[in-house]
Amino acid sequence: MADVHFIDTRASAGRPNLVRLRRLLKKAGIRGVVERDDLVAIKLSFGELGNVGFIQPPFVRTVVEEVLRLGGRPVLMDSNTLYAGSRSNAYDSLVTALKNGFSYATVGAPILILDGLVGRDFREVPVPGFIYDRVKIGTGLLDADALISLAHFKGHMLAGFGGQIKNLSMGGAPRSGKQMMHSDVKPQVNEDSCTACGRCAKWCPAQAITVQEHAAIDAERCIGCGECTVTCTRRAIEVSWESEAGLVQKKMAEFALGALTGKAGKFLGVSFMMRITPDCDCANWSDAPITPDVGILAGLDAVALDQAAHDLVNRQEGIVASALGKRGVSAPDKFAHIHRLDPTVQLAHGQEIGLGTREYRIA
């Protein structure tokens, strides 16, 4: 059973949020993870341009300051995206990070795109998986002495929700590794709902979408990144699975295990259950949160952190004026209700391959 440490979002003059976060990090064991002179990868998402759901810079700066107090050398890291957006290469990713408030001046640490200029800086590492025996991970994560994963817990169109496993897998892999995880996704257009706005075509990295009276996807050219499904404001594009719907989640768990290569005793996860949007921060917009803010979790086990976050969010009463609607506010699994898939596959598979445990206690 893993210990998971938690603070809620309540604050006052005597209980400021950032001071409470600092205490949470200490309680969760950051002193055992970061040693003097360690190069510390702080993995987070810089967010797409236009998105406002990502973890805000003051929280990130607090984590950086704690690493510096312990004598570590923190580096903020994110990876290039598979889809065509504002982060598909290192130049655009760094500019996006700056525009979203991440700079040395604001957070006190340098920034690195962990898989290089165009997503080709990676190594293959062995994993005891059921699907893969080797996965591709960005060299920035692999070369770091310690890893702190800052995950924004929110919904995700292919995995139901995205947390620590998503941040380590999709976030820690190069573009070719992301493609390996997405390869079973085959989106289809509902012609009756499509308005031929062209948003999906602009985001398609494979130029697989043409738009005339409605959007049309060339199945041969489609690489399965799935971004057209989330960028369509009419929800006219749905995922059609080439195989079982949970396979992407299983792949994610195995890539997450690869991201932790060489990090035994040198990993700390921090999960922010704040502005819990129905979709990922890879969208260039942020939909209304589906529940009120819950708080922040920290611990040494990625699976336990995701299980605890999933449980805590589902205990909340949903917000009617969100993607949940009236029918979803009391759904036992709010992410399953929105995305029509079982989001716990990643948890079960993560436990099965030794990534972590679903058994936890709030310490």
Side-chain angles (χ1 to χ4, degrees):
M1 181 175 292
D3 286 341
V4 173
H5 304 268
F6 172 72
I7 58 173
D8 59 28
T9 57
R10 295 298 305 275
S12 64
R15 301 172 73 242
N17 288 325
L18 299 183
V19 171
R20 296 178 68 220
L21 173 58
R22 200 182 304 276
R23 292 171 181 165
L24 177 70
L25 295 171
K26 293 176 180 177
K27 190 176 179 183
I30 191 172
R31 286 192 178 101
V33 172
V34 177
E35 299 178 81
R36 181 166 296 279
D37 294 328
D38 275 354
L39 288 168
V40 181
I42 299 180
K43 171 64 188 76
L44 73 161
S45 170
F46 296 134
E48 199 68 22
L49 280 181
N51 190 287
V52 294
F54 54 86
I55 301 167
Q56 296 302 297
F59 291 109
V60 178
R61 185 180 66 244
T62 299
V63 177
V64 167
E65 289 171 351
E66 282 307 298
V67 171
L68 291 170
R69 287 176 195 271
L70 295 170
R73 293 174 287 175
V75 182
L76 301 190
M77 296 190 191
D78 198 4
S79 60
N80 293 303
T81 60
L82 179 60
Y83 57 84
S86 67
R87 294 180 296 142
S88 61
N89 60 75
Y91 175 85
D92 291 342
S93 294
L94 291 170
V95 170
T96 296
L98 292 170
K99 289 183 176 180
N100 281 347
F102 297 99
S103 68
Y104 193 92
T106 57
V107 296
I111 299 173
L112 175 72
I113 304 306
L114 62 87
D115 58 334
L117 188 63
V118 292
R120 293 178 183 154
D121 290 358
F122 65 87
R123 294 198 296 273
E124 290 191 350
V125 296
V127 293
F130 295 165
I131 302 166
Y132 301 116
D133 56 12
R134 302 182 71 82
V135 295
K136 300 176 180 180
I137 302 297
T139 55
L141 288 192
L142 294 176
D143 290 342
D145 300 306
L147 170 58
I148 298 177
S149 170
L150 306 185
H152 174 215
F153 193 82
K154 70 285 179 189
H156 190 270
M157 67 282 191
L158 301 182
F161 70 76
Q164 289 295 334
I165 293 174
K166 161 69 166 55
N167 193 43
L168 293 169
S169 59
M170 295 289 187
R175 301 185 79 210
S176 56
K178 291 177 173 67
Q179 174 55 33
M180 291 168 63
M181 285 179 269
H182 284 89
S183 62
D184 292 279
V185 179
K186 299 298 176 185
Q188 294 181 340
V189 178
N190 181 336
E191 296 177 7
D192 293 334
S193 301
C194 179
T195 62
C197 69
R199 284 173 58 91
C200 56
K202 292 179 181 178
W203 277 66
C204 180
Q207 297 180 327
I209 301 177
T210 56
V211 181
Q212 294 180 354
E213 293 181 2
H214 55 76
I217 301 173
D218 184 336
E220 294 298 319
R221 300 188 70 173
C222 175
I223 62 173
C225 69
E227 292 306 317
C228 55
T229 65
V230 71
T231 56
C232 178
T233 57
R234 301 283 298 180
R235 296 191 179 273
I237 305 179
E238 297 183 351
V239 171
S240 176
W241 301 100
E242 190 170 78
S243 56
E244 59 173 296
L247 189 57
V248 170
Q249 295 182 55
K250 292 179 180 179
K251 291 179 177 181
M252 286 168 53
E254 296 192 6
F255 266 80
L257 189 60
L260 294 180
T261 298
K263 300 298 187 295
K266 303 292 284 183
F267 167 78
L268 174 68
V270 188
S271 298
F272 292 76
M273 299 171 290
M274 303 160 73
R275 192 166 179 81
I276 305 161
T277 53
D279 296 308
C280 186
D281 297 340
C282 58
N284 65 345
W285 42 268
S286 296
D287 198 0
I290 62 173
T291 74
D293 288 350
V294 179
I296 306 173
L297 290 167
L300 308 178
D301 187 301
V303 176
L305 284 167
D306 277 356
Q307 181 70 68
H310 182 253
D311 292 343
L312 287 169
V313 170
N314 281 321
R315 289 173 193 159
Q316 306 295 310
E317 185 69 16
I319 297 173
V320 174
S322 75
L324 287 171
K326 291 183 179 180
R327 293 184 179 181
V329 292
S330 299
D333 192 319
K334 295 174 174 60
F335 303 105
H337 175 84
I338 293 171
H339 295 293
R340 289 177 286 181
L341 53 83
D342 178 7
T344 66
V345 173
Q346 58 188 300
L347 303 173
H349 195 65
Q351 179 170 265
E352 193 170 11
I353 62 175
L355 177 62
T357 177
R358 299 180 71 176
E359 300 296 323
Y360 67 91
R361 61 185 175 190
I362 303 292

